[in-house]
């Protein structure tokens, strides 16, 4: 839920509801209608006149000025040990908003001195290892070199521009101080304070990132000869049924961009939460990507991630903003949602429907209609009279429930949350200083000021079981409408001149609002009884650092093939931008998918990091067993595929908690030297080992898959061996989604069908060992209790499996360093080896005394397909402890 298709026209406000199922472009500004964007986009290259006054200190600081108006600045270059250059430019004696609570608290400890800061006439060279920052003093610009190769150029087009804080001038255009749009007037009390700069990436082929937009993975040019386009906008908005190919900004913003080419990868992150635009163009002679950035306010605080590999750029970015939190295991299972399940009987029936259809799932969701009149933290006593009983029944099967809790608070004096917030002064204020009042689902609403630590503490307390009546420890939370969405506000959001904690305007903090709500909600779940459970909170709005808090989804998509297709580049972009725990509504939120589209979407969604089916209240019911055969069987198989791969995916999330490596990643991420893959977005990698080439077009029963690298690759369903090739025609009948195991990797699976992730606890593992051309393979398996925070104290098992010289070994990947101990009796029940020339003469556990012989024969890859091709060597019942070291020898 999130669109406004079901809102009611209330006479007390004469609100016109947005009921048409279509994107309404006229509700949102273009760049030309946004004064600061128009001013900056029209600036001509070469206009910048900033100069360095004197030289740089040994710490990398200098004085800058703009001779055109006399404005003075400080410039500072810092180095952080993962390979990050930070450039800050501040006006002297002026105060601008600096984004708090996003950068890692460990960042100061990562700062190290430059190896040298050398003055060379009108230049300064800052050196750290193989990184060289070459600063030109007049006019000010700088270039970054990696191992002697230029990878980034700042202010090469001389577009750098600060609209300095000042008093109003007679010659100022009226819209510098007062902007009008569709009957709304934005009084800009500080006047024009925008910032613009340009960054080019010499030697790169493509640029990626700056979510959230429904567009291609490799960002298209928005400026240049023959190109008519809006710039990419970063301004969190509630966008109803968004277009499937547009630079228009959606629900979240991460001002992080990665450039990549055959010479390596480089990234930048602008630490600024104000509205922002980015233009992408191409240098005319070399075709290098060029970008120009402009924000309405804030300051210039730019981080440069020097790479040189894609994963290193993401890891460097995560050193700044944090790694992905390790989610509870149930949360990477399947989620069933609808706006809305009608009542407790409906919830019980849906839950039972999964069991009757022998389909696994882990979480059932309740949208806004479960509340008492859209008062969050309450229940409709007629529809949900026994919520604790309902949750306990769900939990008895190892499942969980999620409720929606939005940031708008119904203005009702008898509603305890509103009464307390009003008394304590916790709401965002309007420009006059009164509690801001807008319109959302409950009708007249006010909005808690989550930028205020006191408000976040207040909100956190509301999730305690004694405060949130009817909740249990099996109830988790969904934050929607947190851009924030205001139905009667400009662009369906809060006015920019609204006031927040510290007397900052909303324009300064807009893109942080949902982030802070998400943070406070997660903290509320973490602190409630019993106090050691990992939180799970889904958010629609997001910002840099959201990966530390919880997952997001791509909002109000549509049940059509275009939205299925664009879900891949949207999620891949989020992963490249450091936010890997994400998904798209399977089946599309709006509209009614036909059986083919729904089957194909489940087959793709089974590999999304976050896997949820969701639908608008005006759509037909679409629980996955309602479409008849063969659709029901195909969806069941897609769900079972997901659950069989939970051990592998949970291991990927464990790795993301250490390095922020994307779970779902573009092909170029794993094969960075293959230029043909740089813009490929119709297939993707799930971790390093699996390549998924789904069907994305109606009526298609064959896909054109890329099988990169040196090979070989193996079809996961059949074990068929394929050579590496830039293009392979692969059969893909409706019952199948092409998935390939990369030679050289080991994938852990659990193959016994269960009703939920919790029901799989203790099940034995199957190891799929896919050999490379040299007969080698490696992979990992991570296991913990899947629910509590004990893993942070060392309660986990993390193993590495290697196959070389005919021996499969299990060794410790990480030794726990904390006080907690995790014990597991789980075993490896089946070993499947792909790539051996035939059945071995014998297989023995050589680590045991005496050596123990094992049964091995040619067989199918999956235990669930006994009639499948016998393309693998299958070792049955080795019963090898997962937590122990062991070695199994294959004698050929």
């Amino acid at each position: 839920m999130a669109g406004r298709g079901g809102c009611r026209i209330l006479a007390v406000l004469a609100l016109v509801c947005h009921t048409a199922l279509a994107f309404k472009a006229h509700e949102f500004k273009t760049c030309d209608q946004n004064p600061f964007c128009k001013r900056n986009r029209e600036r001509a290259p070469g206009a910048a006149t900033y100069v360095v006054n004197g030289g740089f200190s040994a710490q990398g600081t200098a004085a800058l000025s703009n001779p055109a108006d006399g404005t003075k600045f400080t410039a500072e270059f810092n180095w952080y040990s993962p390979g990050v250059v930070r450039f800050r430019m501040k006006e002297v004696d002026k105060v601008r908003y600096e984004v708090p609570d996003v950068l890692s608290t460990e960042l100061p400890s990562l700062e190290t001195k430059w190896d040298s800061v050398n003055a060379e006439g009108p230049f300064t060279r800052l050196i750290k290892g193989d990184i060289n920052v070459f600063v030109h003093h007049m006019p000010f610009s700088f270039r970054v070199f990696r191992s002697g190769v230029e990878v980034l150029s700042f202010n090469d087009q001389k577009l750098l521009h600060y609209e300095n804080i000042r008093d109003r001038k007679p010659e100022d255009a009226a819209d510098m101080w007062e902007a009008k749009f569709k009957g709304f007037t934005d009084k800009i009390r500080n006047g024009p304070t925008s910032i613009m700069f340009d960054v080019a990436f010499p030697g790169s082929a493509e640029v990626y990132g700056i979510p959230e937009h429904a567009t291609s993975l490799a960002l298209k040019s928005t400026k240049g000869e023959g190109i008519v386009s809006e710039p990419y906008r970063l301004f969190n908005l509630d966008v109803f049924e968004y277009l499937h190919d547009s630079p228009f900004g959606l629900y979240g913003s991460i001002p992080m961009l990665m450039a990549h080419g055959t010479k390596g990868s480089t990234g930048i992150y602008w630490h600024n939460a104000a509205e922002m635009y980015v233009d992408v163009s191409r240098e005319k002679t070399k075709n290098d990507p060029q970008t120009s950035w402009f924000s309405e306010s804030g300051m210039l605080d730019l981080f440069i991630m020097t790479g040189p590999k894609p994963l290193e750029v993401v890891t460097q970015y995560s050193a700044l903003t944090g790694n992905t939190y390790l989610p509870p295991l149930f949360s990477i299972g399947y989620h069933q949602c609808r706006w809305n399940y009608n009542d407790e009987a409906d919830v019980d029936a849906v839950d039972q429907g999964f069991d009757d259809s022998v389909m696994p799932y882990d979480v059932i969701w309740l949208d806004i209609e479960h509340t008492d009149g859209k008062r969050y933290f309450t229940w409709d006593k007629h529809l949900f009279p026994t919520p604790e009983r309902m949750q306990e029944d769900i939990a008895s099967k190892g499942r969980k429930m999620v409720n929606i809790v939005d940031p708008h608070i119904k203005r009702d004096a008898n509603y305890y949350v509103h009464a307390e917030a009003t008394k304590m002064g916790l709401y965002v204020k309007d420009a006059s200083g009164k509690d801001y009042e807008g319109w959302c689902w409950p009708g007249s609403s006010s909005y808690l000021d989550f930028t205020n630590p006191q408000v976040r503490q207040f909100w956190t307390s509301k999730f305690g079981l004694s405060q949130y009546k009817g909740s249990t420890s099996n109830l988790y939370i969904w934050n929607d409408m947190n851009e924030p969405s205001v139905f009667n506000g400009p662009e369906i959001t809060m006015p920019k001149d609204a006031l927040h904690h510290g007397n900052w305007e909303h324009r300064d903090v807009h893109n942080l609002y949902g982030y802070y709500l998400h943070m406070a909600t997660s903290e509320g779940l973490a602190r409630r009884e019993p106090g050691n459970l990992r939180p799970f909170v889904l958010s629609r709005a997001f910002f840099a650092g959201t990966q530390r808090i919880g997952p997001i989804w791509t909002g109000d998509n549509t049940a059509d093939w275009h939205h299925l297709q664009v879900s891949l580049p949207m999620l891949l972009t989020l992963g490249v931008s450091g936010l890997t725990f994400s998904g798209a509504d399977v089946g599309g939120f709006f509209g009614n998918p036909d059986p083919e589209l729904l089957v194909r979407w489940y087959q793709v969604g089974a590999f999304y990091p976050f896997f949820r089916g969701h639908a608008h209240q005006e759509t037909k019911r679409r629980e996955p067993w309602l479409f008849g055969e063969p659709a029901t069987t195909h969806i069941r198989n897609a769900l079972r595929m997901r659950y069989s791969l939970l051990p592998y995916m949970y291991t990927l999330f464990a790795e993301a908690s250490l390095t922020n490596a994307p779970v779902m990643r573009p092909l170029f991420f794993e094969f960075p030297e293959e230029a043909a893959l740089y813009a490929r977005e119709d297939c993707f990698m799930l971790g390093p080992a699996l390549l998924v080439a789904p069907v994305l077009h109606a009526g298609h029963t064959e896909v054109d898959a890329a099988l990169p690298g040196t090979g070989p690759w193996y079809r996961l369903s059949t074990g068929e061996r394929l050579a590496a090739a830039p293009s392979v025609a692969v059969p893909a009948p409706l019952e199948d989604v092409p998935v390939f195991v990369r030679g050289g990797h080991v994938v852990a699976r659990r193959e016994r069908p269960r009703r939920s992730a919790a029901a799989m606890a203790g099940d034995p593992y199957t190891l799929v060992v896919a050999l490379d051309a040299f007969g080698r393979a490696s992979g990992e398996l991570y296991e913990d209790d899947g629910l509590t925070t004990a893993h942070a104290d060392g309660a986990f098992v993390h193993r590495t499996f290697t196959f070389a010289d005919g021996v499969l070994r299990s060794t410790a990947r990480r030794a726990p360093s904390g006080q907690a101990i995790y014990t597991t009796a789980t075993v490896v029940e089946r070993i499947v080896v792909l790539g051996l020339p035939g059945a071995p003469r014998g297989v023995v556990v050589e680590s045991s005394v005496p050596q123990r012989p094992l049964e091995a024969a040619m067989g199918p890859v999956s235990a669930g397909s006994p009639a499948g091709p016998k393309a693998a060597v299958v070792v049955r019942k080795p019963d090898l402890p997962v937590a122990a070291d062991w070695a199994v020898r294959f004698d050929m």
Side-chain angles (χ1 to χ4, degrees):
M1 189 279 301
R4 297 164 301 282
C7 60
R8 301 173 178 86
I9 299 176
L10 301 180
V12 294
L13 193 65
L15 174 67
V16 177
C17 240
H18 310 284
T19 57
L21 297 183
F23 173 65
K24 291 190 173 184
H26 67 273
E27 292 182 338
F28 304 102
K29 295 177 183 177
T30 64
C31 181
D32 279 350
Q33 293 171 315
N34 212 342
F36 87 90
C37 182
K38 188 174 188 294
R39 289 196 304 272
N40 283 288
R41 207 180 193 206
E42 291 177 348
R43 286 182 62 80
T49 59
Y50 298 87
V51 298
V52 176
N53 300 315
F56 279 82
S57 71
Q59 290 73 40
T61 61
L64 295 183
S65 66
N66 183 359
D69 59 16
T71 311
K72 296 180 180 180
F73 301 84
T74 59
E76 183 175 359
F77 288 92
N78 305 95
W79 173 265
Y80 296 93
S81 58
V84 177
V85 177
R86 184 181 192 178
F87 168 64
R88 282 178 284 186
M89 182 174 170
K90 296 183 178 181
E91 289 171 282
V92 174
D93 298 327
K94 303 291 185 182
V95 178
R96 285 175 174 258
Y97 186 75
E98 298 186 43
V99 175
D101 305 316
V102 170
L103 296 178
S104 169
T105 56
E106 298 178 3
L107 190 61
S109 68
L110 301 177
E111 184 176 356
T112 59
K113 294 181 179 180
W114 293 98
D115 291 344
S116 62
V117 178
N118 301 325
E120 302 176 7
F123 309 100
T124 296
R125 193 184 303 269
L126 301 94
I127 299 172
K128 187 70 176 182
D130 66 344
I131 301 300
N132 184 326
V133 180
F134 189 74
V135 183
H136 193 287
H137 291 190
M138 186 182 301
F140 171 74
S141 65
F142 65 85
R143 299 180 180 186
V144 177
F145 293 81
R146 182 177 60 225
S147 300
V149 177
E150 185 181 3
V151 295
L152 181 144
S153 175
F154 178 91
N155 202 30
D156 189 57
Q157 298 183 69
K158 307 300 182 287
L159 289 171
L160 175 63
H161 183 62
Y162 253 87
E163 290 187 326
N164 54 294
I165 299 172
R166 56 176 175 78
D167 294 330
R168 189 166 189 164
K169 298 178 180 179
E171 64 270 22
D172 284 347
D175 63 10
M176 287 183 168
W177 296 83
E178 189 173 276
K180 298 180 183 296
F181 177 73
K182 292 185 66 65
F184 296 97
T185 298
D186 172 21
K187 294 186 179 297
I188 310 169
R189 66 175 183 173
N190 292 322
T193 57
S194 73
I195 303 170
M196 182 181 188
F197 60 87
D198 62 274
V199 179
F201 299 92
S204 290
E206 303 288 354
V207 289
Y208 315 88
I210 56 170
E212 184 178 34
H213 308 93
T215 189
S216 56
L217 170 66
L219 294 173
K220 301 170 185 175
S221 293
T222 57
K223 291 190 77 173
E225 187 175 346
I227 297 174
V228 178
S229 173
E230 286 287 302
Y232 294 100
R233 190 183 190 190
L234 287 90
F235 188 63
N236 298 358
L237 290 170
D238 178 3
V239 185
F240 186 81
E241 196 174 12
Y242 53 83
L243 300 177
H244 69 270
D245 186 10
S246 171
F248 188 81
L250 299 179
Y251 311 95
S253 301
I254 302 177
M256 182 273 199
L257 181 142
M258 180 189 293
H260 180 74
T262 55
K263 296 179 181 179
S265 302
T266 308
I268 59 175
Y269 164 60
W270 187 4
H271 191 49
N272 189 320
E275 181 179 8
M276 189 181 299
Y277 289 87
V278 182
D279 264 320
V280 176
S281 58
R282 294 284 173 170
E283 196 273 335
K284 290 184 179 180
T285 57
K286 298 180 181 179
N287 204 40
D288 294 334
Q290 295 181 324
T291 61
S292 53
W293 302 64
F294 24 104
S295 74
E296 184 174 16
S297 63
M299 66 170 289
L300 206 173
D301 188 357
L302 186 69
F303 292 87
I304 301 165
M305 290 76 74
T306 60
K309 296 179 180 179
L311 177 57
E312 289 171 325
V313 170
V314 172
T315 300
Q316 290 158 357
Y317 169 75
S318 68
L320 308 175
T321 62
N323 290 324
T324 298
Y325 93 119
L326 182 62
L329 180 60
F330 73 80
S331 68
I332 63 170
Y334 175 66
H335 301 247
Q336 183 64 35
C337 186
R338 179 176 179 81
W339 178 23
N340 201 83
Y341 286 119
N342 300 325
D343 50 28
E344 290 183 2
D346 197 9
V347 169
D348 293 343
V350 172
D351 179 64
Q352 188 60 44
F354 275 92
D355 291 340
D356 293 345
S357 302
V358 199
M359 292 180 173
Y361 93 104
D362 263 88
V363 189
I364 192 163
W365 295 51
L366 293 180
D367 213 312
I368 56 175
E369 312 303 335
H370 82 275
T371 62
D372 176 13
K374 314 302 187 298
R375 299 169 180 85
Y376 302 109
F377 305 103
T378 70
W379 302 83
D380 185 312
K381 295 180 181 179
H382 300 288
L383 303 177
F384 297 92
T386 57
E388 291 170 298
R389 189 279 313 163
M390 175 178 62
Q391 294 164 60
E392 289 165 0
D393 285 354
I394 295 292
S396 69
K397 301 178 182 180
R399 294 169 177 154
K400 310 295 181 184
M401 177 169 278
V402 166
N403 273 6
I404 197 167
V405 178
D406 291 347
H408 47 262
I409 303 300
K410 184 179 179 68
R411 292 186 61 83
D412 174 0
N414 295 318
Y415 174 32
Y416 74 100
V417 177
H418 172 65
E420 292 175 17
T422 301
K423 182 178 180 180
M424 297 172 69
L426 302 183
Y427 286 131
V428 176
K429 310 302 180 185
D430 63 21
S432 70
K434 298 177 182 177
D435 286 352
Y436 172 71
E437 182 177 348
W439 207 260
C440 208
W441 296 122
S444 180
S445 305
S446 283
Y447 292 74
L448 290 165
D449 182 7
F450 291 99
T451 68
N452 185 341
Q454 181 186 3
V455 174
R456 297 198 296 274
Q457 185 176 6
F458 167 82
W459 186 258
T460 292
S461 71
K462 296 304 173 195
F463 292 94
L465 300 186
S466 61
Q467 289 252 348
Y468 190 173
K469 303 296 185 182
S471 70
T472 72
S473 61
N474 293 300
L475 182 70
Y476 295 82
I477 300 298
W478 168 20
N479 290 153
D480 197 0
M481 315 298 283
N482 55 336
E483 294 75 27
S485 177
V486 183
F487 292 163
N488 63 332
E491 297 195 275
I492 318 170
T493 193
M494 191 173 288
K496 289 182 176 180
D497 55 7
L499 297 176
H500 288 265
H501 176 64
N503 206 33
W504 292 104
E505 288 188 298
H506 186 70
R507 78 183 74 254
D508 300 305
V509 305
H510 175 84
N511 287 342
L512 281 175
Y513 186 86
Y515 167 86
Y516 273 129
L517 167 67
H518 198 191
M519 175 194 295
T521 304
S522 179
E523 184 67 20
L525 295 194
R527 290 185 181 182
R528 72 180 180 183
E529 303 85 340
N532 66 339
L533 299 180
R534 289 177 234 172
F536 171 79
V537 182
L538 180 74
S539 174
R540 190 171 67 178
F542 56 87
F543 189 66
T546 289
Q547 71 273 7
R548 300 194 308 261
I549 303 169
I552 65 97
W553 91 107
T554 61
D556 296 352
N557 60 357
T558 304
D560 63 40
W561 290 90
H562 293 302
H563 277 257
L564 169 60
Q565 293 155 17
V566 81
S567 73
L568 297 189
M570 291 182 75
L571 298 181
L572 292 170
T573 293
L574 286 162
V576 166
S577 307
L579 183 49
T580 191
F581 198 7
S582 60
D585 284 344
V586 170
F589 179 65
F590 293 109
N592 297 298
D594 61 34
E596 181 192 10
L597 175 59
L598 192 64
V599 167
R600 292 304 193 189
W601 213 320
Y602 269 95
Q603 290 173 344
V604 175
F607 301 95
Y608 290 164
F610 174 62
F611 184 22
R612 181 182 76 156
H614 186 33
H616 189 279
Q617 65 177 351
E618 295 173 2
T619 64
K620 298 176 183 177
R621 293 292 288 252
R622 66 164 86 133
E623 285 70 43
W625 55 85
L626 295 178
F627 288 75
E629 294 294 351
T632 296
T633 294
H634 298 336
I635 294 172
R636 179 187 299 115
N637 289 339
L639 292 169
R640 287 182 174 178
M641 168 70 83
R642 171 65 166 224
Y643 278 78
S644 74
L645 289 172
L646 284 185
Y648 175 67
M649 295 190 71
Y650 195 52
T651 301
L652 294 178
F653 274 101
E655 183 63 29
S657 73
L658 300 175
T659 67
N660 219 24
V663 172
M664 179 181 176
R665 56 190 72 164
L667 297 186
F668 84 84
F669 215 87
E670 287 294 318
F671 305 94
E673 297 179 357
E674 298 195 26
L677 304 177
Y678 292 169
R680 192 76 189 253
E681 62 185 29
D682 59 346
C683 45
F684 58 91
M685 298 296 297
L686 190 70
L690 297 181
L691 188 152
V692 183
V695 174
L696 302 172
H697 300 274
H700 285 209
T701 56
E702 182 179 275
V703 296
D704 175 22
L707 298 178
T710 57
W713 293 84
Y714 304 89
R715 187 82 181 256
L716 182 59
S717 59
T718 65
E720 177 189 3
R721 178 172 175 149
L722 297 97
S727 178
V728 180
V730 181
L734 187 60
E735 64 269 18
D736 194 16
V737 55
V739 181
F740 304 90
V741 189
R742 182 181 177 185
H745 290 265
V746 178
V747 175
R749 298 171 52 161
R750 275 177 162 155
E751 298 190 292
R752 297 182 181 181
R754 301 292 190 187
R755 61 171 39 155
S756 65
M760 300 172 75
D763 279 359
Y765 293 99
T766 291
L767 298 182
V768 179
V769 182
L771 302 182
D772 64 13
F774 302 99
R776 299 177 303 211
S778 64
E780 298 180 10
L781 175 64
Y782 175 88
E783 183 183 305
D784 61 20
D785 65 24
L787 193 62
T788 76
T789 57
H791 68 284
D793 293 323
F796 63 83
V797 168
H798 197 170
R799 308 296 296 178
T800 294
F801 304 110
T802 57
F803 191 103
D805 300 321
V807 179
L808 176 65
R809 300 182 185 276
S810 171
T811 56
R813 160 69 167 80
R814 274 192 297 156
S817 57
Q819 300 298 315
I821 297 175
Y822 178 72
T823 58
T824 177
T826 54
V827 299
V828 175
E829 180 185 49
R830 198 164 174 263
I831 300 171
V832 177
V833 185
L834 296 166
L836 289 175
R841 291 183 291 107
V843 178
V844 296
V845 182
E846 68 174 20
S847 55
S848 65
V849 180
Q851 293 185 352
R852 176 163 58 95
L854 299 174
E855 176 189 350
M858 300 304 294
V861 177
S862 174
S865 303
K870 296 182 178 182
V873 172
V874 178
V875 180
R876 298 176 178 83
K877 301 290 185 181
D879 294 332
L880 299 162
V882 162
D885 290 353
W886 44 258
V888 176
R889 188 179 74 246
F890 290 71
D891 295 322
M892 301 304 295

